[in-house]
Amino acid sequence: MKLQLSIGQASQPGRRERNEDALGWCLPDGEQLAGKGALFALADGVSGCADGKLAASSSVRAVCADYYATPETWAVAAALDRLLGAHNRWLRSQGRSLVAALSVLVLRGRRFTIAHVGDCRVYRLGRDGLGCLTQDHVWEEPSLRHVLKRALGLDAHLVADFCDGDLAVGEVYALLCDGVWNALGDLRIDEILRLHTDPQRAAAVLVEAALAAGSQDNVSALVLRVDALPAANLDDAFSRGEALLPPPLLKPGQQFEGLTVEDKLHASPSGLAYRVSDSAGRRWVLKTLPPPLAGDREAAQALLAEEWLQRRVSSPYFAEVAPQAVRSHLYYLLRWYDGETLAARAAAGPLGVADVVLTGLALCRALAVLHRLGIVHRDVKPDNIHLGRDGQLRLLDLGVAWCAGISGEALGPVGTPSFMAPQLFDGAAADAGSDLYALGVTLYWLLSGRYPYGEIEAFQRPHFGTPQPVSRYRPEVPPWLEALLAKAVDPDPARRFETAEEFRLALERGDSQPLSARRQVPWAERLSLRLWRRLALVSLLLNLLLVYLLLLG
């Protein structure tokens, strides 16, 4: 089942010389409808400005075109916010006053999202009756009720309203300009939408009724009815995938769906991984669920979501996914790369400072790719970082990654405790900042084999004080790198790096300095505070003993 809609629209100049309203919609098919949804937009150009028609029509065209160029992994509101901000800057760059009110409605999966600025309105007619889902951005003073205080092209910084909610079959949505809703009022709009169930007829009647009621403005209406909803929040492929069962336990040498099983790589209660090869001799990693999870809808969705995310990350810093094919079992394939994880490499001996810096730069680029797509990895650690024999570093395992729109709330704690940011233990949501904290801990561990706050077990309630300087374990670490790591793992999120790009830039600037050996730290400076306290206590006891002996003498 897919999203099915009935749509109607009507627009007339009314008593004006020309129509400065613009409306449009995009109802794609197939994967694009599932991934991005259907979009509806209504704009009302401000006639007192240079060219209201251009402002309105360009706004609708920009939204309809640019929204579908944004990554599927972005939340709808985030995508609309970015493209509206960009179009607002374009309107202001034209050197003349181009201003328009705009309301955008996106239906994606089983939810709707609205972006709104100005005095167009979005109404919903559902089981609870008619309701207006937007707020007019006009001045409260009665004489200024038709003067916009927020609109596209009005201010250098656009502030739009956003709201979202669940869809229901049979609901009717109406996008109306002020020439319609101001002339009719909510009661008359409710009456027309209930009486005329065909959206095209309803839109035409709304426009005609507004003109008959004496509207002096352009009149436009865009009406749609929800006829059917998809069964899943992403697409029908999720629904089909959930119905598949994991393969039985596979053994080396066994043939499975045109693949030859070579080895079992990983086995846990939540997942299985095999190394397999195809008929062309190419090696792959087959990821699936263990047989006891057959029929577990939540586990199946998690694996399908992992595959969905993996396919949308196109970068050399991530493993290639095999082309999607018809499958009779629940699994997916990732390219196999010869090499080892950084955890395995570090087990053979500590990494050099220069190697750790290069690793940090590569990981910053990898995380920047994810974060630009709105994906939070949530389990950055040496075990999930692979260095191939081709010299390429790759970030592995999106099994617990979070992405707006397909994942639930990004609440902690999720991940490996020793690499988790302090705020996650307080129930905060994982975000790009918590990934960057884990990156800082990873680099610290690669240099020292230790954690800045000690190893944290899953059952612990950790205490985050002052981290040990990494130079205590590696005296040759340069001061700039030590300061950088201290910033990366600071307990206060406000004092850490905000973006992967900022982290990378700090590494690049530091890396431009020669990685000369750190000055020889005096023995007394390397001693811990606890040891100094013990020495002071011993000294005090010896002095007391001497005083006592002198008194006896």
Side-chain angles (χ1 to χ4, degrees), residues 118-185:
D119 60 354
C120 295
R121 288 185 177 181
V122 180
Y123 287 89
R124 175 176 60 179
L125 178 62
R127 293 179 181 178
D128 299 330
L130 183 72
C132 182
L133 302 177
T134 56
Q135 182 177 1
D136 304 328
H137 298 146
V138 296
W139 296 100
E140 299 299 328
E141 180 67 29
S143 61
L144 299 175
R145 287 286 173 86
H146 296 286
V147 179
L148 296 174
K149 62 180 179 181
R150 274 200 265 164
L152 275 170
L154 190 61
D155 298 310
H157 179 65
L158 177 69
V159 179
D161 289 347
F162 295 90
C163 72
D164 58 8
D166 294 323
L167 294 170
V169 174
E171 286 182 336
V172 175
Y173 292 82
L175 285 72
L176 308 176
C177 69
D178 64 330
V180 174
W181 64 258
N182 196 40
L184 296 179

Side-chain angles (χ1 to χ4, degrees), residues 15 21-22 31 56 134 144 156 177 188 249 309 320 326 330 345 373 381 417 498 503 516 553:
R15 292 172 174 79
D21 291 347
E31 291 187 5
T134 56
L144 299 175
C177 69
R188 181 66 173 135
L249 290 176
L309 290 176
E320 176 190 350
V326 177
L330 180 62
R345 184 182 177 190
L373 292 172
K381 59 181 180 180
E498 293 186 8
F503 201 140
S516 56

